[in-house]
Amino acid sequence: LEWSPRENDFLRNSQRLLDVDVVVVDEVSMLDIPLAAKLCAALPPHAQVVLIGDPDQLPAVGPGALLRDLLASAAVPRVTLTTIFRTKAASSNDQGVGLAASDVAVNARLVNAGAAPSRFRDFLE
């Protein structure tokens, strides 16, 4: 969108459209309504938009819950990924103890389904 500190606004807008056919936006759970509106205003009529996001991730800091609201509508086509592609590579928790990324993903799915986490490592060792 070409942010301009001088203008304190984006240079791409409804008067100066983006020269694109497709726009892919990642981390849409953090996209607020004002920024989404700026993006949409700058798109040419033929452009397609692919939104990628996880509704269980952090929400936008600004106003609105764009991804949640879009997913609540049956009119919005979507693809839901169901396969966990994370490896057993370790990540760190707050105590610096390794936790396999796949364990985190599995536990997140269980919690989202209303079940207690069952796959975890012993953090006391």
Side-chain angles (χ1 to χ4, degrees):
L1 293 176
E2 296 182 45
W3 177 256
S4 170
R6 176 186 285 158
E7 301 294 325
N8 197 33
D9 203 356
F10 295 106
L11 296 178
R12 298 300 183 136
N13 53 45
S14 61
Q15 304 304 308
R16 187 167 176 244
L17 299 177
L18 292 165
D19 184 19
V20 297
D21 294 319
V22 176
V23 173
V24 178
V25 183
D26 195 9
E27 300 292 348
V28 174
S29 66
M30 295 187 282
L31 181 62
D32 65 26
I33 299 296
L35 183 54
K38 294 278 188 176
L39 173 62
C40 290
L43 291 173
H46 69 274
Q48 296 183 351
V49 179
V50 177
L51 304 175
I52 301 170
D54 182 346
D56 297 320
Q57 292 294 320
L58 294 172
V61 174
L66 181 73
L67 181 59
R68 184 194 68 204
D69 292 345
L70 288 172
L71 292 175
S73 171
V76 177
R78 86 264 337 261
V79 173
T80 302
L81 302 179
T82 58
T83 303
I84 299 170
F85 290 99
R86 294 179 179 171
T87 66
K88 287 283 187 185
S91 60
S92 261
N93 68 10
D94 292 341
Q95 292 82 27
V97 177
L99 179 64
S102 60
D103 290 341
V104 172
V106 169
N107 281 326
R109 281 216 177 137
L110 289 169
V111 169
N112 285 337
S118 65
R119 295 186 65 185
F120 57 89
R121 292 182 182 217
D122 185 356
F123 294 110
L124 301 177
E125 289 183 12

